[in-house]
Amino acid sequence: MWIAGGVLLLLALYEAIPWAITAFRTESTDDAYVNGHVTFVAPRVPGQVVRVLVDDNNRVRKGALLVQLDKEPYQVKVDIAQAALSVAQAGIVTAQAKVRGLESLARSQRFDLANAMHNLNNQVADLHSKADAFQAANATLIKAQADFGREKQLYQQQVISRQEFDSFQEAFSVAQAQQQKAQHDVGAVRAELGLAPTSKSGDELSGIPANLDQTYSAVKVAQARLMQTAAELGSFHSFKESPADMLAEFYKRDSSGNIDAIFDEISKNAPDTKQAEAKLDEAQANLHQAQLNLSYCDVVADIDGVVTRRSVNPGDQVLAGQGLMALRSLTDIWIDANFKETQLANLRIGQPVEIDVDMYGSHRHFQGRVSGFTMGTGSTLALLPAENATGNFVKVVQRLPVRIELTNYDPDVAPLFIGLSVTPYVYIHETPTGPNAGKMLQASVSATGPVSAPNLQ
């Protein structure tokens, strides 16, 4: 009996001493289990299922084909979108041809406006010339009239001969005719300019209004035609704008005054061109969307994992977003250990953890590290959290979920399944390692790329 008792005591010490050493060096809980991500597989377009290539418990790789929908309706939509794209491309050519025709017309009308203004300036110069000739004819007439008056008196006194008198009378008549012709010439030019043939206010016959270049009919007609064509090209001008200002603004479009560069820019931004380009962009987007919808007929795995909860069969009519099956990851898994709040004083991120899994017994241990603490106990995250302000409060030790990430896990050697019970041992006296080591909170996650809202205008 003494020998048997000694043997039992040795066996008890053999088991108790390691347990005691572990208990002093670690914090442990039996309220822990394996957790992991679950990806729900759903089609992105509605359709009829023609093939299901996997079943429950099948292991699949990322990108593997799981379910295939009927592609024929979506192929028809792709063909329709392709035809619409061809029409839009033809519309671009038609619009460019129309804009080129308008550009040629605008070039011609610009020259017509410049020519009308040039002709106006020539007519104004001709008016000044005719007015000067009229003034000269007036001076000649005055002198001829004075000579004729003097010679008439001398003739009446028989100082000069009839022949000499006739020559002065002829000179006077010629001066009168030339003066009338010069006056008629001035009146004709003024009539062409839309002015009164004679000056009613006593002004000189060569006088013209200051805004004649804005009111002259030929110039206004040429300007109106150019404004109409410019409007079709997307260049708008005010009706109060003078022809000279209109041409000056046209040349301001290019610093060097290159007419070809100006018209190229106008043609590029013409409404017909922009409209055709917009229709082409729309057709290309519709084709891209149709091609995407066609590609969505192949429902593929987004992660490496195992198929579970398959609920689809060939012939089923499915909707976009309808759950077909779930994929449980074998690699993106972790341990959720619910430690009592009295055990958290010495727990920190980065502390090493040894994990016993009931599934494998005591012959296999997994290694891990503490990676974070849930910001709330299990009771606060429950569907119906406790309300302690009602007066019936009873203090109960709470549990806080602590996440433990696995460091030596290989699913091909010893897979862990979600929901398995485990027993983690956190070595609280060893130096924490890894990211955020020794802290209670993880560092802020930085954005992986620029994030911006849509530009709504």
Side-chain angles (χ1 to χ4, degrees):
M1 291 178 63
W2 283 103
I3 294 174
V7 172
L8 291 176
L9 179 61
L10 290 175
L11 291 175
L13 291 175
Y14 179 78
E15 293 291 338
I17 290 175
W19 177 86
I21 293 174
T22 302
F24 281 111
R25 295 174 58 195
T26 64
E27 288 287 355
S28 179
T29 180
D30 57 359
D31 186 1
Y33 58 92
V34 179
N35 205 344
H37 292 298
V38 179
T39 298
F40 295 96
V41 178
R44 303 176 72 171
V45 293
Q48 186 176 26
V49 178
V50 294
R51 288 200 302 166
V52 181
L53 291 88
V54 295
D55 204 348
D56 284 340
N57 305 326
N58 288 160
R59 188 176 178 182
V60 296
R61 295 292 184 183
K62 182 179 180 180
L65 182 61
L66 305 178
V67 178
Q68 192 173 66
L69 305 181
D70 186 10
K71 295 184 177 182
E72 186 173 355
Y74 294 98
Q75 182 61 54
V76 172
K77 292 182 179 180
V78 169
D79 296 339
I80 293 174
Q82 184 65 58
L85 178 61
S86 300
V87 172
Q89 290 172 339
I92 283 283
V93 178
T94 302
Q96 290 175 344
K98 180 180 178 181
V99 170
R100 285 299 180 185
L102 291 173
E103 177 186 342
S104 300
L105 182 59
R107 286 174 180 265
S108 174
Q109 291 172 344
R110 186 189 68 83
F111 287 119
D112 289 344
L113 176 59
N115 188 48
M117 296 177 65
H118 179 70
N119 290 338
L120 174 63
N121 293 332
N122 288 340
Q123 287 179 305
V124 170
D126 188 39
L127 174 62
H128 289 303
S129 175
K130 293 292 194 300
D132 292 341
F134 175 69
Q135 295 296 333
N138 272 339
T140 302
L141 177 60
I142 292 172
K143 181 177 182 302
Q145 186 177 8
D147 291 343
F148 175 72
R150 287 193 300 269
E151 297 302 325
K152 184 178 180 180
Q153 291 179 358
L154 294 175
Y155 174 72
Q156 290 175 351
Q157 295 174 3
Q158 297 183 353
V159 176
I160 60 174
S161 64
R162 178 70 184 184
Q163 183 179 5
E164 292 177 336
F165 175 72
D166 289 341
S167 63
F168 283 101
Q169 186 176 13
E170 179 185 4
F172 176 62
S173 299
V174 171
Q176 282 183 323
Q178 290 177 345
Q179 189 265 352
Q180 290 178 357
K181 180 180 181 304
Q183 186 176 6
H184 291 159
D185 291 342
V186 172
V189 176
R190 291 180 64 86
E192 290 179 0
L193 293 174
L195 304 175
T198 58
S199 177
K200 297 180 180 180
S201 60
D203 297 334
E204 295 183 357
L205 294 178
S206 61
I208 59 174
N211 62 344
L212 182 61
D213 60 337
Q214 302 180 35
T215 59
Y216 187 51
S217 59
V219 175
K220 295 301 291 182
V221 169
Q223 183 185 11
R225 290 175 179 171
L226 180 58
M227 289 176 64
Q228 180 181 359
T229 305
E232 295 182 22
L233 289 172
S235 180
F236 302 98
H237 298 272
S238 172
F239 289 104
K240 298 180 180 179
E241 192 174 14
S242 68
D245 293 339
M246 184 175 175
L247 292 178
E249 182 181 353
F250 171 80
Y251 283 107
K252 287 180 181 178
R253 293 175 178 268
D254 186 78
S255 58
S256 61
N258 189 330
I259 296 178
D260 293 333
I262 294 173
F263 274 109
D264 287 342
E265 184 66 24
I266 292 176
S267 300
K268 187 187 302 182
N269 297 316
D272 290 326
T273 302
K274 289 296 184 182
Q275 185 178 16
E277 291 175 350
K279 289 182 178 179
L280 178 61
D281 293 339
E282 181 183 10
Q284 289 174 338
N286 290 337
L287 176 60
H288 182 58
Q289 183 63 62
Q291 291 172 339
L292 277 179
N293 291 340
L294 178 61
S295 67
Y296 292 154
C297 290
D298 292 332
V299 182
V300 299
D302 291 325
I303 63 170
D304 295 340
V306 177
V307 176
T308 59
R309 290 160 44 179
R310 169 189 154 178
S311 61
V312 62
N313 293 296
D316 290 350
Q317 189 72 28
V318 297
L319 302 176
Q322 177 181 338
L324 305 181
M325 63 188 70
L327 291 179
R328 292 187 180 271
S329 175
L330 286 176
T331 55
D332 294 334
I333 64 173
W334 62 89
I335 306 299
D336 278 334
N338 297 303
F339 283 92
K340 296 179 181 179
E341 55 185 327
T342 55
Q343 296 177 290
L344 300 176
N346 296 319
L347 293 186
R348 294 292 183 271
I349 295 176
Q351 290 174 338
V353 183
E354 186 175 283
I355 303 163
D356 288 343
V357 183
D358 295 342
M359 173 182 175
Y360 291 106
S362 60
H363 67 278
R364 181 173 292 279
H365 298 277
F366 293 86
Q367 304 300 320
R369 64 183 292 273
V370 176
S371 61
F373 300 85
T374 301
M375 295 303 296
T377 63
S379 62
T380 61
L381 300 176
L383 179 62
L384 298 175
E387 181 54 68
N388 295 329
T390 58
N392 58 351
F393 170 70
V394 177
K395 182 176 181 180
V396 178
V397 177
Q398 302 296 312
R399 290 182 179 269
L400 184 76
V402 177
R403 175 173 288 199
I404 299 171
E405 63 182 17
L406 300 170
T407 56
N408 68 334
Y409 173 64
D410 186 355
D412 294 325
V413 177
L416 292 177
F417 302 100
I418 296 174
L420 291 177
S421 296
V422 300
T423 303
Y425 296 92
V426 181
Y427 289 87
I428 57 178
H429 297 296
E430 294 190 15
T431 304
T433 58
N436 308 304
K439 298 180 181 179
M440 294 289 289
L441 292 177
Q442 295 183 358
S444 299
V445 177
S446 59
T448 57
V451 180
S452 60
N455 186 16
L456 301 179
Q457 294 183 352

